[in-house]
Amino acid sequence: MLLIRRFGGGFARDGVGFYANQAGESFDEDTAEMQVFGTREQIAAALREILEFLLRYAETTNQETVFLCINGHAHFLTPEEIRAWLKEDEDDV
């Protein structure tokens, strides 16, 4: 619940997800949905922390992708894509 403490509000709920991977295989599995609410400034300041959280989550739960949506902009991210974003951020510093 680190992200919720950081932003001051949010929720999480368990569910079941259904999807097909790029090979066309269908899956259903237990899922978790988490939402946090913050200002643009809070989100921007915590973006690296959010990506690190998503990477840990993806690796721990063995996910091919995780879904990130900020202000209506949706992204399905693989662990490799998240690592690349984090590396780009390190290179910019």
Side-chain angles (χ1 to χ4, degrees):
M1 296 296 114
L2 174 64
L3 294 176
I4 291 173
R5 281 195 304 272
R6 178 142 163 79
F7 294 105
F11 71 87
R13 63 179 161 204
D14 294 328
V16 178
F18 307 93
Y19 69 97
N21 66 12
Q22 291 185 354
E25 301 168 302
S26 297
F27 297 90
D28 64 279
E29 63 185 6
D30 294 335
T31 61
E33 176 185 356
M34 293 166 265
Q35 291 191 25
V36 296
F37 309 103
T39 65
R40 289 179 194 266
E41 293 79 17
Q42 287 174 313
I43 300 292
L47 188 55
R48 181 174 187 82
E49 184 178 4
I50 293 167
L51 291 172
E52 288 170 345
F53 174 84
L54 289 174
L55 180 59
R56 283 192 309 274
Y57 182 82
E59 291 175 339
T60 301
T61 60
N62 197 33
Q63 297 297 307
E64 286 184 24
T65 61
V66 292
F67 178 73
L68 173 65
C69 183
I70 299 177
N71 287 340
H73 298 278
H75 307 275
F76 286 95
L77 303 171
T78 65
E80 295 77 21
E81 289 169 323
I82 296 170
R83 282 189 208 93
W85 277 20
L86 290 169
K87 175 142 181 37
E88 275 182 32
D89 185 51
E90 285 175 359
D91 292 344
D92 289 343
V93 174

